[in-house]
Amino acid sequence: MKAGLVSALAALAACGEAATTPKVTPRDELAYSPPFYPSPWMDGFAEGVEYMYAKAREIVAEMSIPEKVNLTTGVGWQGERCVGNTGSVPRLGLRGLCLQDGPAGIRFTDYNSVYPSGQLTAATWDRVLINKRARAMGFEAKGKGIDILLAPVAGPIGRIPTGGRNWEGFSPDPYLTGVAMAESAMGIRGAGVIACAKHFVGNEQERFRQAGEAQRFGHDISESMSSNIDDKTMHELYMWPFADVIRAGIGAIMCSYQQVNNSYGCHNSKLMNNLLKDELGFQGFIVSDWQAQHNGVSSALAGLDMTMPGDTTFNSGLSFWGANLTLAVLNGTVPAWRLDDMALRILTAMFNTNLGPDQLPDINFSSWTLDTDGPVHFVANENFEVINQHVSVQEDNANLIREIAAKGTVLLKNEGALPLKKPKFLAVIGEDAGPNPKGPNGCADRGCNEGTLGMSWGSGTANFPYLITPDFALQAQALKDGTRYESILSNWENSATRNLVKQDNATAIVFVNANSGEGYIAVEDNQGDRANLTLWNGGDELIKNVSSICPNTIVVIHSTGPVLVTDWYDSPNITAILWAGVPGQESGNAIADVLYGRVNPAGRTPFTWGPTEESYGTKLLAKPNNGKDAPQDDFTEGVFIDYRHFDRISEEDPDSAPIYEFGFGLSYTTFEYSDLKIQRNDIGEYKPTEGETLEAPILSNFSTDLADYVFPDDVRRIEQFIYPYLTTAESAEEASGDLNYGQKPDEFLPPGATDGSPQPRLRSGGQPGGNPLLWDAIFTVTATITNTGDIDGEEVAQLYVSLGGEDEPVRVLRGFDRLSIPAGESVTFEADLTRRDLSNWDVVLQDWVITEHEKTVWVGSSSRKLLLKGTLDFAAGPEPEQPEEETPEPETPEEEAPEEEYPDEETPEEEGEE
Ligand code: NOJ
């Protein structure tokens, strides 16, 4: 993309915009989010919380209203050391909780690691690596004193290929993202840190996500955009990964900035009360995105449990909650059981993660400065002490980071150029191979695009401890091999580049990139989202120039999603193409591992590479389309994003066929697929969940005398800090000192919002993740995969299913495994198909239903290399039980035989032992 040209176009577009201000659509014609009340209270018997709920309940029963409010309300932006800090409960020895970004490493600290992006990690299709990455990040967070890590990300899922934050998440496929979310949640929790899945839901583009931010970029809107999503699409696509992460026991979920069906994400009772807490049985707490709360009572009743950073807008010193929540409980607009439920959810998540009051680690960093000494209360400039202890938490995570980055790298094309074997002469070309002249952390929140792309921009960033550039690693390898090595770390040195790559024996590796990030930063003309799908800094011209001269040109792409390769990918002079995503600190080492064959590539693209931007069928809502009111983004494509869209249209329009399809990637060896078997398992019928909940528990009585809640004399007031105490006992209207909560409950509360009586259970609900019978494995599919080459390799076998019926995707991913297969050997691929995998969401019944349409399964190496095919036979009974094989005699003498050699029931009981 040429920056100048894009600015000129943007200016033209802006003129056009002013001339034709769009009409405002009447409110009753807009997409509508139905109310759902009351807010579901915790189910103390639900799987995963049954033990810690009781402990939390005992404690909450003893807590005062201000103590409970303190758990729910942040102390204000930069009020303490973390990106978000709750109030404390000194009586219980509970310091304020520390919430910190982010999804690819700890934000704002030092001596931490920078991991490959979620997107590149998804490209490994390796559950174990995904889990290990999250666990390692969790331990780094723990080592810094963080209690809640603001990761992983499934929203955006990647509806729009130019979406700014797609790299923070995993893949536009909900199954792959769901697996990655669940593994990440378990990994983070395994390290003793609460994971926070974000952003629920529909935050698919950065532009217009927050009206204020959009105004700063010159967009004249007064409300944030609305993502208008229908019920089927919500269930089958956007909610799907959240169901997985809830089932995996995640402790927290962050609601999103923008509106869904014209109700703000953090006030939306349909999203929070109905979908998350009732249907998906979420027993953790919902925390707002930073400043995504726009009022107090309605967000509490709609299901929000924690507000961040706690002030109404950054540093206003006012809060929608804090004292206002205390007052709202006292005057009955928020029922006491709702506040109790918020506190119960937070404490249960803590206890479930071994974070009791005496187990919280010391916070040893400050987000707001890397200076050693400084103020604990940064914005108030108070409490000076050592605030950065510069604790190294990196351990040996560099090895894992390098492994993930190499194993996620996707080999898109290889005409025999790779792996490199001591090439005679290596010419490395492009800015993206070298360092940022300002240093790896030279741009705040990585808000620039200079040097190699190791980390994109926004809140999902971390400070590099170092950054191995491709130039550094490849030169080191060249020196070892006796290879002549020259690099030109610029995209604009045309004649020097031509003179270099035209020389005989040149293997040219061109490094190019395309970057994006979060909406509060614009880099060139990319306001978070990418302005287009082309490479940055003249990358396309660079590739074309080099490959027009050098017959052995290898292209490496670092990017936050697909780029257009249409103009050059099939040039015979381009002998290999690799996608290396956003790789983190070990970038150069990882790409060298793949280029030189130390890692045999098995990354598979987690998104489709279309021929044009239009071919994706979804695009950014670029201009306000509803006057100054909330821009309306109708998700009219339904579930047809990414490969589902390409599969649907490419039969009619072959020109729109992807260049590289979802799931595609090459290896240095070859594989064969054979012997598909589909086994029907013996499982019971689906039973809708029935019955009623218990009533909302009343845990304690409390005084309604305002005087009991006035700011205590012995508490020191810190400037701009948010407290739970009232300023006066004289008048309820003024008691909170800021916003007016004088209305009477029945004047504005939604019907049913304060009703604590038993509520009917939803048929699709029942346990965390939904009706537990949805996870019954109806079929087990197996196939044999053989490595037919002469080097060891890894293959990602993929299972696709067509659910059948009109207006349904041609096929959807429903299983995968990354298999390690030595040369010449075979392994068995196995995947279960659960009831949920085979169901569609029935919008009338409000439940998952297996339709009568024939269901085909394929096992293959990508969404279009479907090598084995079969049909699911629901009528078939389960396989007859095989007669049990005799236990083979252990080869070792009996007394030395390890215990595991005996099936459990046959382990001989030792006399005298219990
Ligand atoms: C806003 C971002 O949307 C969110 O992802 C992040 O966790 C918070 N800011 C805190 O930095």
Side-chain angles (χ1 to χ4, degrees), residues 83 101 107 150 165 168 198-199 209 254 257 289-290 459 518:
V83 127
D101 295 297
R107 186 181 184 200
L150 304 172
R165 298 181 77 179
E168 291 187 43
K198 63 189 189 179
H199 309 85
R209 66 176 185 157
M254 188 187 293
Y257 280 128
D289 200 341
W290 272 230
S459 67
E518 192 172 337

Side-chain angles (χ1 to χ4, degrees), residues 119 248 751:
Q119 194 179 49

Side-chain angles (χ1 to χ4, degrees), residues 351-602:
F351 295 148
N352 251 342
T353 321
N354 290 335
L355 286 171
D358 48 359
Q359 292 165 307
L360 297 180
D362 288 339
I363 301 167
N364 54 36
F365 70 98
S366 168
S367 300
W368 320 118
T369 172
L370 291 177
D371 292 350
T372 302
D373 298 302
V376 171
H377 304 294
F378 186 81
V379 74
N381 207 25
E382 284 191 33
N383 280 40
F384 276 72
E385 56 183 66
V386 172
I387 50 171
N388 275 305
Q389 290 170 26
H390 313 290
V391 175
S392 176
V393 290
Q394 300 166 79
E395 308 269 336
D396 58 358
N397 295 334
N399 296 331
L400 177 67
I401 289 168
R402 178 173 178 167
E403 184 184 358
I404 295 171
K407 288 192 167 176
T409 295
V410 184
L411 181 62
L412 293 167
K413 177 177 180 181
N414 186 18
E415 301 295 330
L418 297 177
L420 297 174
K421 294 191 186 88
K422 300 192 175 177
K424 197 170 168 71
F425 166 35
L426 207 52
V428 167
I429 311 293
E431 281 176 31
D432 184 65
N436 179 349
K438 301 185 182 94
N441 300 315
C443 307
D445 282 343
R446 308 297 82 78
C448 63
N449 192 50
E450 293 178 49
T452 195
L453 174 57
M455 165 61 84
S456 297
W457 76 79
S459 67
T461 54
N463 290 329
F464 283 106
Y466 60 82
L467 172 56
I468 305 284
T469 64
D471 180 51
F472 180 89
L474 293 173
Q475 174 159 319
Q477 180 68 44
L479 292 182
K480 235 192 256 167
D481 293 348
T483 296
R484 176 185 158 207
Y485 184 88
E486 288 189 44
S487 57
I488 300 177
L489 304 179
S490 160
N491 290 9
W492 311 106
E493 295 298 336
N494 288 344
S495 62
T497 301
R498 291 174 82 86
N499 287 339
L500 189 69
V501 302
K502 74 177 187 198
Q503 297 175 31
D504 281 351
N505 306 314
T507 298
I509 311 184
V510 184
F511 282 84
V512 287
N513 69 33
N515 200 355
S516 68
E518 192 172 337
Y520 64 96
I521 295 175
V523 176
E524 297 180 20
D525 293 298
N526 305 271
Q527 292 165 19
D529 308 300
R530 282 189 278 165
N532 55 44
L533 282 182
T534 59
L535 290 166
W536 287 35
N537 302 322
D540 291 290
E541 285 69 33
L542 184 68
I543 294 168
K544 285 190 232 169
N545 287 343
V546 171
S547 62
S548 68
I549 311 168
C550 175
N552 190 13
T553 303
I554 295 166
V555 176
V556 177
I557 303 165
H558 288 122
S559 73
T560 54
V563 296
L564 299 181
V565 299
T566 320
D567 282 356
W568 45 261
Y569 79 100
D570 57 356
S571 154
N573 284 356
I574 297 184
T575 49
I577 304 174
L578 298 108
W579 177 71
V582 179
Q585 68 190 44
E586 286 285 327
S587 172
N589 287 334
I591 197 67
D593 286 344
V594 176
L595 290 169
Y596 282 86
R598 290 188 291 268
V599 168
N600 187 351

Side-chain angles (χ1 to χ4, degrees), residues 26-350:
R27 186 87 193 165
D28 59 3
E29 288 174 25
L30 293 177
Y32 172 67
S33 185
F36 189 97
Y37 297 96
S39 187
W41 39 93
M42 276 187 83
D43 172 0
F45 300 106
E47 275 165 27
V49 296
E50 60 275 60
Y51 303 112
M52 294 305 165
Y53 173 82
K55 181 172 171 187
R57 194 170 152 143
E58 262 174 39
I59 293 177
V60 172
E62 299 293 317
M63 288 171 81
S64 68
I65 291 179
E67 285 175 338
K68 289 182 262 198
V69 167
N70 255 2
L71 277 183
T72 69
T73 304
V75 301
W77 179 242
Q78 299 185 322
E80 283 189 357
R81 296 199 274 202
C82 304
V83 127
N85 310 268
T86 67
S88 57
V89 186
R91 186 180 60 81
L92 297 176
L94 187 67
R95 66 153 169 76
L97 296 173
C98 169
L99 295 86
Q100 193 75 5
D101 295 297
I106 312 306
R107 186 181 184 200
F108 287 148
T109 61
D110 50 14
Y111 304 94
N112 55 273
S113 308
V114 174
Y115 289 78
S117 66
Q119 194 179 49
L120 183 60
T121 308
T124 66
W125 298 63
D126 188 325
R127 289 173 172 81
V128 175
L129 282 182
I130 296 169
N131 186 301
K132 279 188 175 174
R133 168 183 179 267
R135 195 175 159 85
M137 288 198 305
F139 276 115
E140 293 204 16
K142 188 90 187 165
K144 292 284 182 187
I146 294 160
D147 310 306
I148 300 160
L149 182 63
L150 304 172
V153 176
I157 197 169
R159 170 183 181 245
I160 302 166
T162 52
R165 298 181 77 179
N166 293 351
W167 61 278
E168 291 187 43
F170 297 101
S171 161
D173 179 80
Y175 185 92
L176 177 54
T177 291
V179 169
M181 290 293 284
E183 291 297 341
S184 301
M186 291 187 287
I188 294 169
R189 180 170 160 202
V193 173
I194 298 176
C196 175
K198 63 189 189 179
H199 309 85
F200 194 72
V201 67
N203 192 166
E204 293 295 325
Q205 66 173 55
E206 292 303 284
R207 185 171 297 197
F208 309 143
R209 66 176 185 157
Q210 294 188 87
E213 188 176 271
Q215 287 155 13
R216 284 201 299 283
F217 288 117
H219 302 291
D220 190 10
I221 55 168
S222 56
E223 297 293 336
S224 309
M225 68 181 287
S226 176
S227 297
N228 299 328
I229 309 175
D230 65 83
D231 190 31
K232 178 176 161 75
T233 305
M234 180 64 86
H235 280 83
E236 294 185 3
L237 177 55
Y238 295 102
M239 244 171 95
W240 181 287
F242 286 94
D244 287 316
V245 86
I246 290 173
R247 186 157 183 267
I250 193 144
I253 292 182
M254 188 187 293
C255 48
S256 62
Y257 280 128
Q258 90 304 333
Q259 307 191 57
V260 172
N261 299 331
N262 291 293
S263 168
Y264 275 97
C266 296
H267 297 210
N268 191 314
S269 63
K270 170 77 189 173
L271 295 185
M272 296 190 288
N273 285 346
N274 179 196
L275 299 183
L276 285 183
K277 290 187 173 174
D278 205 354
E279 184 180 326
L280 296 184
F282 177 49
Q283 304 297 322
F285 62 93
I286 302 178
V287 55
S288 73
D289 200 341
W290 272 230
Q291 298 187 119
Q293 189 194 29
H294 302 284
N295 66 36
V297 171
S298 68
S299 57
L301 298 177
L304 187 70
D305 302 299
M306 184 187 280
T307 174
M308 279 293 147
D311 35 16
T312 50
T313 53
F314 289 168
N315 303 127
S316 65
L318 307 175
S319 180
F320 292 112
W321 282 5
N324 278 313
L325 186 53
T326 303
L327 192 57
V329 172
L330 294 177
N331 71 19
T333 49
V334 171
W337 56 256
R338 180 73 268 270
L339 177 63
D340 287 349
D341 188 58
M342 295 176 191
L344 276 172
R345 287 171 179 273
I346 296 165
L347 280 177
T348 307
M350 288 172 60

